[in-house]
Amino acid sequence: MRCPDLFKISALLGALAATAAASASANNDGHVPRQAGGCNVRTFATGLPAAAKVERVEHVSAGGTFGEPLTDLMYPIPPTNLPELCAVIIAVASSPVSVYRFGIFLPTQWSGRFLAVGNGGFGGGINWLDMGAAVQQGFAVISTDTGHNSTTTDTSWALGHPEMKTDWGWRALHGSVELGKALVRVFYSRPISYSYYSGCSTGGRQGLKETQISPDSFDGVLVGAAAWYTNHLNTWVCKIASYNWPADDPKHIDWETLPLIGIEITRQCDGVDGVTDGIISSPEQCNIDYNALRCNTSDNAPSNFSSSTSCLNDAQVETLRSVYNGYVLDATGEQVAQGYLPGSEFQLYTVLNYSDASPYGVGYVGDFVLNNPNFEASQYNDSILRLAERLDPGNATADDYNLTTFRDRGGKMLLYHGAADGLVPPTAAGTYYDRAVNATSDGNVTAARDFFRRLEIPGMKHCALSSVSAPWAIGGASQAAVLGNDTYSVPGFADSQHDVLLALIDWVEKGIPIDQVVATTWNNETDASSGVLRQRPICTYPQTAHWDGKGNVDEATSWSCSTEPSHGAGSTTGPSYASLFPIVMGAFIVLSSI
């Protein structure tokens, strides 16, 4: 264990935990809804540790709203149409020079379940939207601001502030979970039945980290697109800039070319799974034909792309190849970070940045590792990776693979990742899973599946959405927020067959393992009222979805999960590659929540 402050936090919470336990033992019938009369400062201030204070308590009537729209830079949009609840904000001094805050939603009609939701990027702010979605499902839910207030790419707050880095790295979430649970028990005067976690991106990393340092925090953990390898991932993103910049170098690939490259890669890789439907479902099995990307003015050009004005020169081809190959050390050729998969091109603008090196890389190196606000991508070299490994600013990297204690106490974990993720490589999920299986189950995937499973979602980008109209909505973190600020679960499909959080609940509480979850997308992928466009089962590894060869490929019943290899390309009703252009350009956006 590398987090000695855990002992300080445990001591800090001792008095409140005792108060909660006494209160719970006095009233533990579990049937009477909590009345709004207890929603006041006195309820939460009683027994609160000296380092913590109640900042705000407010009763929210059914149909109401709550948030911090004027001050929360990361999550300024508040949830609406809430059920009746008590909203609380607590501030905790984590050191003499740092403070984190967390919010709690306590519904009047409580299921007995506790949920912590994660954050995104380097952003600081209480994630009210994900809290709003969760409280609709009966959870008492918390979110931390990670100890600062900023947007997702802003790292300036970290410069010269090691305590704030520690809050972001692990301490704010851990303290919020511990204190939040105690306050939930005090408010309801009864124990928590089950505790869960849901987060994506940085939120995925937070969930893994909390499970590693405190295996008894959660009974079920839902981890999406986890940016877990902090000291390798963010330096890798900085390294990518050395492949692609400066902009006047022949090797530079302009970000506006990426969707066109994506269309050509989709043409090449789509049918590898046996179905030509506009979705790359087996990206790891696709061997990219770089000649079809290289400029060719002959009559025998291998592709429309190669004869277009957007074609790549030899140096640009090598830039793209490097992105797929991953972070390779210049001196030894050792791969130290995973590359991106075919299909990620539509979102690679997040690392092959618009007009400069990605802030996810440069900001991390400059403000976290070097404490140098003047750092530029051109100064990057591989020694910075080794420095990042030694320092691991904020102790953020979640690279403890031994989950034995979590497993032995009955915990369940599900890892999911979009195969078309252009920010956090989906190969990172497979790497963590394989290492955890080796450390926890001696490499036996079958044994590991008793407590730990993973999903790879074809065509899904970072945490949500798709550039190729692939089904993506599974009830994952921040997905409801994409659909609206009064949305929860998967609209129209709020059940454990379609909502992965509900499936996790069934696994934890009923012993029903997750073999698949049906993903959904709509005619307008951000408007669930526009009608279902596609549904498809997403199978837990090592199984994959296979078409029955005759049914409608857009209907989940035409697919089944199997470990059998795919055979040949089938005829389907998928979009033509020419029609993909307006689709992908219309979806060419950055989610502020990642």
Side-chain angles (χ1 to χ4, degrees), residues 116-153:
V117 297
N119 302 84
F122 297 112
I126 295 172
N127 187 351
W128 299 110
L129 275 179
D130 275 12
M131 289 175 63
V135 79
Q136 297 277 10
Q137 295 174 298
F139 288 100
V141 56
I142 69 144
S143 168
T144 179
D145 68 354
T146 72
H148 68 283
N149 188 22
S150 78
T151 59
T152 185
T153 57

Side-chain angles (χ1 to χ4, degrees), residues 77-132:
I77 301 174
T80 59
N81 199 26
L82 293 169
E84 184 181 28
L85 58 83
C86 183
V88 185
I89 301 177
I90 303 292
V92 181
S94 54
S95 80
V97 294
S98 59
V99 175
Y100 64 81
R101 302 161 68 245
F102 65 94
I104 320 175
F105 279 167
L106 300 155
T108 300
Q109 297 293 333
W110 182 43
S111 66
R113 300 185 181 103
F114 171 89
L115 178 72
V117 297
N119 302 84
F122 297 112
I126 295 172
N127 187 351
W128 299 110
L129 275 179
D130 275 12
M131 289 175 63

Side-chain angles (χ1 to χ4, degrees), residues 245-513:
W245 293 94
D248 58 359
D249 193 297
K251 67 184 179 181
H252 176 74
I253 299 175
D254 188 271
W255 68 273
E256 292 179 320
T257 305
L258 293 171
L260 303 176
I261 296 173
I263 292 172
E264 169 56 25
I265 296 297
T266 302
R267 183 191 69 81
Q268 293 185 28
C269 302
D270 177 9
V272 172
D273 68 322
V275 183
T276 305
D277 56 357
I279 302 170
I280 301 176
S281 294
S282 301
E284 297 92 343
Q285 299 176 29
C286 180
N287 296 313
I288 296 173
D289 179 4
Y290 289 99
N291 284 328
L293 297 166
R294 186 178 283 109
C295 293
N296 188 326
T297 58
S298 72
D299 293 336
N300 297 318
S303 70
N304 291 334
F305 181 87
S306 66
S307 60
S308 73
T309 57
S310 299
C311 64
L312 305 183
N313 61 39
D314 288 346
Q316 290 172 316
V317 167
E318 292 309 307
T319 295
L320 190 63
R321 193 194 305 268
S322 296
V323 173
Y324 296 130
N325 287 346
Y327 188 164
V328 177
L329 296 178
D330 295 336
T332 64
E334 176 191 0
Q335 187 194 57
V336 293
Q338 300 79 13
Y340 293 85
L341 290 178
S344 63
E345 302 78 20
F346 302 112
Q347 202 179 31
L348 280 178
Y349 58 85
T350 57
V351 292
L352 293 173
N353 209 240
Y354 299 105
S355 58
D356 203 346
S358 171
Y360 291 108
V362 174
Y364 174 78
V365 172
D367 293 332
F368 277 76
V369 179
L370 301 179
N371 285 309
N372 176 8
N374 299 315
F375 173 78
E376 296 179 357
S378 60
Q379 300 170 313
Y380 186 83
N381 60 70
D382 291 342
S383 68
I384 293 175
L385 166 69
R386 297 311 186 194
L387 179 62
E389 288 176 329
R390 290 195 300 272
L391 297 177
D392 190 18
N395 198 10
T397 301
D399 58 350
D400 184 347
Y401 310 111
N402 191 337
L403 303 177
T404 303
T405 303
F406 175 73
R407 178 199 65 192
D408 290 349
R409 61 172 298 274
K412 308 296 182 186
M413 179 180 290
L414 184 72
L415 213 63
Y416 69 90
H417 210 127
D421 194 327
L423 180 55
V424 178
T427 46
T431 297
Y432 184 85
Y433 187 80
D434 291 345
R435 292 177 182 178
V437 169
N438 287 333
T440 307
S441 304
D442 295 324
N444 187 329
V445 173
T446 301
R449 279 169 56 88
D450 287 342
F451 85 101
F452 190 18
R453 299 191 177 196
R454 76 175 177 94
L455 303 167
E456 184 172 284
I457 305 172
M460 189 178 89
K461 297 189 292 188
H462 188 62
C463 296
L465 302 178
S466 172
S467 290
V468 293
S469 299
W472 58 270
I474 59 167
S478 298
Q479 290 189 350
V482 173
L483 301 170
N485 63 343
D486 63 349
T487 305
Y488 66 97
S489 188
V490 181
F493 303 95
D495 56 57
S496 58
Q497 287 73 49
H498 300 82
D499 183 321
V500 73
L501 181 57
L502 297 181
L504 181 62
I505 289 173
D506 278 357
W507 193 11
V508 169
E509 300 179 20
K510 300 177 182 178
I512 303 172

